[in-house]
Amino acid sequence: MNPQVLCGINNLHLSHTLKGARLGLITNPTGVDSRLRPTIDILSEGYHLACLMSPEHGVRGDAQAGEKVDRYTDEETGLPVYSLYDQSHRIPSEAMDAIDVVVFDIQDVGARYYTYLYTLAYAMEDCARAGKTLTVLDRPNPISCKPRGAVLQPGFASFVGRFPIAAGYGMTIGEYARYINGCYGIGCRLEVVPMTDWNPAFYYEQTGLLWVAPSPNLPTVDSCLCYIGTCLFEGTNISEGRGTTKPFEIIGAPWLNAQKVMHEMERHRPRGLLLREAYFRPAFSKHAGLLCQGLQLYITSREDFEPFEAGVLLLDAIRHTHREFEFLPPSKEGDPPFIDLLLGSDAIRQSGFCPQKFFCRQRAELEEYNRSIESFRLY
């Protein structure tokens, strides 16, 4: 059994900024110590916690994906809660005036698409402008610190991919903060409270820590790993499994023929993965209430499995075997289609798209990206 990892919240004694400061905390239900005590409670008792700030899904994790969270008063603490998941994504001036330090404590999932990364980036920019400190309480990357997938290309930045990082960005949340602060001129006065006994090769189960789901639709570590690839289906008319008990581990649609797709996938045989024909009826989101035929992903070897490549191959197989397949239109006029924002380029929509040639280019870019993040690692 590996020694239990201690997260930043367990190492508050290593911080040089928190004592005596007025704190604003960006957190959600994953902000807990190794005994599952909420960071909100720990900072309320030992420090001057002035307000809470809400990312996507809310401070208490009760909001679904994309659901806006308004300002409100937290019933447990009586503290004001400011939403950072709105049109501006910015810390309101009223909140910034009431604090000296912004504390960030959220378990991320290791994926470029996840909005917590950009909530953190905007908060860092706000702190830089206001001359305030931002302290990240570091946490594990649950799918290990192996970079995966395509690097976002210029011109495709959005709130699901703001910086040219890999689909599986291969850092802890604290290392990511150091990277964007150092490479993209944010200029934030940044402190990262490190973990102890963390190994970058660990998957979350190897840390000895208890798993708290980072959002309603990523209940397991395997769902986080599959998400690197199957999140691409959010840009299509294929269900990515939202509204089922296996989100991102199951995909499908009412018109999908799983046997056709599995036959097409036989040409590629993605390593570390088995596929099973599955039927499901989503309770909400795409195709809600309709019987869908699809595929369930089973990871047989995490070390061999390349989730991004598997997701691209599945998407490509479905569109070549089903006339009903569609990419979803842009969310607003003038924007690229959502698939481009997720993929980080428009490559998959180009005529003559070849997955293997795309993967070859992507692997070369990934090697360069891996070199660029090396000096910002803490572990």
Side-chain angles (χ1 to χ4, degrees):
M1 179 69 183
N2 289 304
Q4 179 167 290
V5 170
L6 293 179
C7 296
I9 183 60
N10 285 97
N11 289 332
L12 292 179
H13 61 283
L14 299 178
S15 170
H16 303 291
T17 66
L18 303 185
K19 276 295 182 185
R22 299 170 301 165
L23 309 179
L25 175 62
I26 304 173
T27 195
N28 70 1
T30 66
V32 292
D33 70 4
S34 58
R35 305 285 297 174
L36 298 181
R37 281 195 73 211
T39 300
I40 295 174
D41 294 353
I42 293 169
L43 294 186
S44 292
E45 292 173 10
Y47 298 83
H48 182 181
L49 185 57
C51 67
L52 304 175
M53 302 181 205
S54 169
E56 185 177 9
H57 305 297
V59 165
R60 302 294 177 181
D62 54 342
Q64 269 295 343
E67 185 178 331
K68 297 303 178 187
V69 180
D70 296 324
R71 181 186 166 183
Y72 65 98
T73 299
D74 181 60
E75 292 183 4
E76 296 290 324
T77 62
L79 293 172
V81 180
Y82 298 93
S83 175
L84 304 184
Y85 191 64
D86 56 14
Q87 286 297 107
S88 74
H89 308 303
R90 298 293 183 182
I91 298 175
S93 56
E94 176 187 350
M96 195 62 88
D97 290 343
I99 59 179
D100 306 303
V101 177
V102 173
V103 181
F104 185 96
D105 190 24
I106 291 177
Q107 175 62 60
D108 194 60
V109 303
R112 183 183 71 221
Y113 329 115
Y114 224 51
T115 62
Y116 300 156
L117 294 178
Y118 312 110
T119 294
L120 172 56
Y122 279 114
M124 290 169 63
E125 290 175 343
D126 292 343
C127 285
R129 278 193 291 270
K132 305 292 174 79
T133 297
L134 190 143
T135 295
V136 176
L137 305 182
D138 210 7
R139 290 188 172 273
N141 186 321
I143 58 173
S144 83
C145 282
K146 173 186 175 182
R148 297 173 165 96
V151 176
L152 183 120
Q153 300 300 302
F156 294 93
S158 71
F159 201 57
V160 292
R162 189 176 167 197
F163 303 103
I165 60 177
Y169 62 87
M171 294 177 276
T172 68
I173 191 72
E175 291 171 332
Y176 158 83
R178 283 163 50 85
Y179 176 67
I180 63 171
N181 202 42
C183 288
Y184 299 104
I186 293 177
C188 174
R189 193 160 62 220
L190 176 68
E191 177 187 52
V192 177
V193 179
M195 296 178 283
T196 51
D197 294 326
W198 158 252
N199 184 318
F202 282 175
Y203 286 84
Y204 199 88
E205 295 94 339
Q206 296 170 279
T207 65
L209 297 168
L210 297 168
W211 175 252
V212 179
S215 77
N217 297 298
L218 288 172
T220 66
V221 176
D222 275 355
S223 65
C224 294
L225 190 53
C226 288
Y227 179 71
I228 300 297
T230 53
C231 183
L232 297 175
F233 286 95
E234 289 190 358
T236 75
N237 62 345
I238 302 284
S239 168
E240 63 278 2
R242 292 183 189 274
T244 76
T245 57
K246 288 288 184 181
F248 298 102
E249 295 180 61
I250 195 167
I251 60 165
W255 40 262
L256 191 137
N257 184 318
Q259 289 298 323
K260 279 186 180 181
V261 181
M262 292 175 76
H263 179 74
E264 184 76 6
M265 290 294 289
E266 279 295 310
R267 298 192 300 114
H268 304 290
R269 296 180 181 271
R271 294 187 305 159
L273 176 69
L274 288 176
L275 298 171
R276 179 183 72 87
E277 181 177 354
Y279 291 83
F280 61 96
R281 198 182 297 270
F284 57 86
S285 195
K286 290 178 195 166
H287 310 307
L290 300 178
L291 179 63
C292 295
Q293 185 181 170
L295 298 163
Q296 184 170 350
L297 285 71
Y298 288 83
I299 301 171
T300 59
S301 168
R302 285 180 175 173
E303 296 313 309
D304 292 332
F305 181 47
E306 293 292 346
F308 182 82
E309 295 188 7
V312 170
L313 289 170
L314 275 168
L315 193 158
D316 201 51
I318 292 170
R319 71 168 174 169
H320 282 113
T321 53
H322 292 79
R323 289 178 298 176
E324 299 91 341
F325 173 87
E326 294 177 352
F327 290 114
L328 297 182
S331 57
K332 61 181 180 181
E333 190 175 350
D335 283 359
F338 195 47
I339 185 64
D340 295 6
L341 302 181
L342 293 168
L343 191 74
S345 76
D346 61 0
I348 203 166
R349 292 189 302 108
Q350 300 303 309
S351 62
F353 172 76
C354 172
Q356 297 307 328
K357 289 181 180 178
F358 175 69
F359 297 151
C360 187
R361 291 194 303 272
Q362 160 248 303
R363 287 170 195 144
E365 292 170 358
L366 198 60
E367 288 180 12
E368 184 178 340
Y369 167 75
N370 202 17
R371 288 191 292 270
S372 75
I373 65 178
E374 198 58 40
S375 63
F376 297 95
R377 294 196 182 278
L378 293 168
Y379 312 97

